[in-house]
Amino acid sequence: MFAQENQETNYTKMFNELFSELEYCNEDEQRKKIEEMNEIINEMNKEEFFYVFTARIFNKIDKMIEEEKLSLEKCILFLKHVRDCNFMKTIFKFYFRYSSLDKRIEEMIIDESEKKKEEKNEKLLDNLCKCYISLSYNFPPELLSICVTCLLKAALNKVESEENQKEVEIALLALSNTNYYEIDKELYLNEIKEIIKYHLEHHNLTHLAYQSAWQFLIYRFIEDKSLEGMIVNELHFTREAGREFEDLTRSVDWKKEKKAKEDIIIERWLQVLDCYFYYCQLRNEEYVGLISSIVRVLRAARENKKEINYQSICSLRNAAEIIDVKINDLLKSEAVDAVLEEIQQPTIVDEITKDLLLFSKYVSMRLKEEEDDEKEEMKRKEAKRKVLEKMEEEGFEDLITSFHNLFDFLNKKYYFDKLSLDISDYFVKI
């Protein structure tokens, strides 16, 4: 739990004072106070945000709606901003799920979805689904089916306007919040394919919307391996992820430590790649470009974006371990060079050390494997020579030897992905 959970700061105090006055205001005053509260939310850090938005505040909003002291319209206006800030502050577990307001919105979604077409308020249903899926979790199957259908319909809107582009982004971002939930393929497959393919031709989505569409699809792949060929060869995930990394790398201010929206999108791509590398067995020539893009992100993030830097290292480690990527791909993409650079950083921390060592171990293991095919064996020997030259150039064996006394400690501290205690497992010999 956050250290500031029980501490009231100036921002939380200002927010609570405004919120306590909300039920005594008329509609115009309420709108003004909500706008002021939203401005304060923008300035809160992650800990302050978490401190304020407990189940208590959502229960209070629900009570105000029940007593007709706050309109549903004003509630949605407020929740929309909370939802957007929740994303920017990267809060993953949220108290909204434990509130009576969550239950109210669940009931409203079901009631609205069951109305006849001429009686249904599509705009209200759309807003309710976007807030509910973005702020809650542990979705009941019936609610999930209704929301997925509604959000995909919103995401398929191709009207060319800034307002619509934002609404599409919110719909796809909400859908990406359903990561580990099982969803009937008939509910989403044609729609999400159409969304991605239309973007490939028209580039109508924002970076966040496009990332969210892919995230929604990749997490469906965990449960349904039949999607693999479509993801790899029809929609070209690795090519598209690499291209997005290139675009985002150019737009990020790498000198600023403060997290921006582009930083969060890169982090989300890297998280999706970890899932993809782990579960996908198909490989094509597009992997080299993707790994090269990860390497560029890793190097750019080294000084001021430590979280992105670390996630990039994790992605390279996963690529070296699980995906059938040739060692020559890791050489061409400069992944080996980047890891050797990283392991020499003076401020390297334990967790990063472990992942860099694991990358080295996986590369070494792969180079020790024998190839039945004579041509492939010759390529492997050439790759081994190149890796050995790079390791000798960077003094790799001395570095590994200096870390060796940490191996047992790291294995106890991070009990997954054990490091071999045999130091020769990390060296390459011809």
Side-chain angles (χ1 to χ4, degrees):
M1 204 58 71
F2 294 118
Q4 288 186 317
E5 185 183 1
N6 297 313
Q7 298 178 18
E8 190 169 44
T9 66
N10 286 336
Y11 287 129
T12 59
K13 186 176 180 181
M14 289 162 60
F15 177 90
N16 286 330
E17 286 174 356
L18 284 168
F19 183 78
S20 66
E21 298 165 0
L22 198 60
E23 62 182 310
Y24 306 109
C25 301
N26 62 39
E27 285 212 7
D28 289 340
E29 291 171 334
Q30 279 186 343
R31 180 175 287 274
K32 185 178 178 183
K33 285 197 182 295
I34 288 172
E35 289 172 355
E36 290 178 35
M37 288 157 59
N38 288 346
E39 289 295 323
I40 293 170
I41 294 171
N42 290 342
E43 299 301 320
M44 287 179 182
N45 61 32
K46 190 171 182 175
E47 291 80 5
E48 290 166 330
F49 187 85
F50 199 84
Y51 171 80
V52 164
F53 289 104
T54 62
R56 179 191 65 82
I57 200 167
F58 296 116
N59 288 337
K60 179 64 175 175
I61 292 172
D62 184 57
K63 186 177 179 183
M64 289 165 66
I65 294 171
E66 183 71 30
E67 296 175 351
E68 298 185 346
K69 294 178 179 179
L70 183 70
S71 69
L72 183 61
E73 178 193 357
K74 297 293 188 301
C75 171
I76 289 174
L77 176 67
F78 180 61
L79 289 181
K80 280 181 175 182
H81 196 76
V82 173
R83 173 197 66 201
D84 294 345
C85 287
N86 185 49
F87 164 73
M88 285 303 298
K89 299 177 196 303
T90 58
I91 306 287
F92 298 111
K93 290 296 181 186
F94 203 47
Y95 288 123
F96 181 80
R97 176 62 189 162
Y98 303 105
S99 70
S100 56
L101 183 59
D102 178 272
K103 304 299 180 291
R104 176 184 290 274
I105 290 179
E106 283 188 355
E107 291 170 3
M108 289 182 69
I109 289 172
I110 292 173
D111 290 344
E112 200 63 40
S113 70
E114 291 177 347
K115 289 180 180 178
K116 294 179 181 178
K117 187 175 181 180
E118 60 272 15
E119 298 173 351
K120 190 178 296 185
N121 186 334
E122 297 283 0
K123 182 68 174 175
L124 174 61
L125 182 60
D126 179 67
N127 279 326
L128 290 172
C129 289
K130 284 173 179 173
C131 289
Y132 174 69
I133 295 292
S134 296
L135 296 176
S136 193
Y137 61 95
N138 194 23
F139 313 113
E142 182 184 4
L143 264 296
L144 189 60
S145 297
I146 295 169
C147 289
V148 167
T149 301
C150 179
L151 294 170
L152 282 169
K153 182 179 179 181
L156 281 164
N157 191 334
K158 299 179 178 69
V159 174
E160 293 185 11
S161 71
E162 189 173 332
E163 181 182 358
N164 183 64
Q165 191 179 54
K166 177 65 177 174
E167 290 303 313
V168 168
E169 179 183 270
I170 292 167
L172 287 168
L173 180 59
L175 281 166
S176 72
N177 201 39
T178 64
N179 284 355
Y180 297 103
Y181 292 91
E182 188 173 347
I183 301 171
D184 188 340
K185 189 158 59 176
E186 291 183 2
L187 283 178
Y188 70 84
L189 187 57
N190 290 336
E191 289 80 0
I192 203 70
K193 277 178 65 176
E194 183 181 342
I195 288 165
I196 291 172
K197 284 187 171 183
Y198 190 84
H199 176 78
L200 291 176
E201 186 175 347
H202 300 278
H203 304 288
N204 63 308
L205 300 177
T206 64
H207 284 297
L208 177 57
Y210 193 46
Q211 187 280 329
S212 297
W214 272 114
Q215 181 167 323
F216 175 80
L217 181 57
I218 294 298
Y219 278 90
R220 307 283 77 77
F221 171 57
I222 294 175
E223 298 295 332
D224 188 351
K225 300 302 183 290
S226 69
L227 300 174
E228 187 173 47
M230 179 193 73
I231 287 169
V232 175
N233 296 322
E234 183 180 348
L235 298 180
H236 300 280
F237 172 74
T238 48
R239 182 193 68 195
E240 287 302 298
R243 186 183 57 74
E244 285 292 295
F245 274 128
E246 295 296 330
D247 286 350
L248 288 163
T249 300
R250 287 191 288 270
S251 62
V252 168
D253 186 346
W254 295 104
K255 293 181 181 179
K256 282 190 177 181
E257 291 186 22
K258 188 175 180 181
K259 187 176 288 188
K261 187 174 183 178
E262 291 78 12
D263 299 14
I264 297 173
I265 299 170
I266 288 176
E267 290 174 9
R268 285 166 60 87
W269 270 116
L270 289 166
Q271 289 161 11
V272 170
L273 280 179
D274 287 346
C275 171
Y276 179 73
F277 284 154
Y278 191 84
Y279 289 100
C280 183
Q281 302 300 313
L282 287 181
R283 186 187 77 85
N284 60 27
E285 67 280 358
E286 294 167 358
Y287 273 106
V288 177
L290 174 60
I291 297 171
S292 295
S293 298
I294 298 171
V295 168
R296 278 189 279 278
V297 168
L298 182 153
R299 285 170 166 160
R302 184 174 291 149
E303 295 300 322
N304 297 311
K305 310 284 187 182
K306 297 300 183 184
E307 192 168 347
I308 294 177
N309 177 259
Y310 173 59
Q311 283 187 290
S312 302
I313 292 167
C314 289
S315 291
L316 293 179
R317 178 207 66 199
N318 288 338
E321 177 191 13
I322 296 171
I323 293 294
D324 183 25
V325 178
K326 301 296 183 183
I327 290 297
N328 275 324
D329 292 346
L330 295 174
L331 286 166
K332 287 178 187 175
S333 65
E334 298 188 10
V336 174
D337 306 66
V339 166
L340 291 174
E341 292 165 13
E342 207 67 34
I343 207 165
Q344 296 180 78
Q345 295 300 307
T347 56
I348 189 170
V349 299
D350 289 345
E351 194 168 7
I352 292 177
T353 299
K354 175 187 69 83
D355 285 307
L356 292 169
L357 290 169
L358 284 170
F359 176 93
S360 304
K361 184 183 82 169
Y362 298 144
V363 169
S364 177
M365 285 169 57
R366 299 266 293 283
L367 288 172
K368 289 172 183 175
E369 295 170 355
E370 292 186 4
E371 298 279 358
D372 294 331
D373 186 280
E374 190 174 335
K375 288 184 179 179
E376 288 298 318
E377 178 64 13
M378 289 177 65
K379 288 181 184 177
R380 186 189 65 81
K381 287 183 177 180
E382 177 61 17
K384 183 184 284 193
R385 185 186 62 77
K386 289 179 180 178
V387 172
L388 180 60
E389 287 176 358
K390 289 183 183 296
M391 288 181 168
E392 288 179 342
E393 186 179 326
E394 300 294 339
F396 179 75
E397 290 199 13
D398 289 341
L399 279 168
I400 296 298
T401 303
S402 70
F403 282 129
H404 192 240
N405 62 336
L406 284 175
F407 285 15
D408 191 48
F409 165 76
L410 291 172
N411 281 341
K412 289 175 182 175
K413 188 174 181 180
Y414 307 104
Y415 47 87
F416 293 113
D417 295 323
K418 293 282 188 182
L419 291 167
S420 169
L421 298 180
D422 185 349
I423 199 167
S424 66
D425 286 345
Y426 304 88
F427 299 153
V428 176
K429 302 292 184 186
I430 294 181

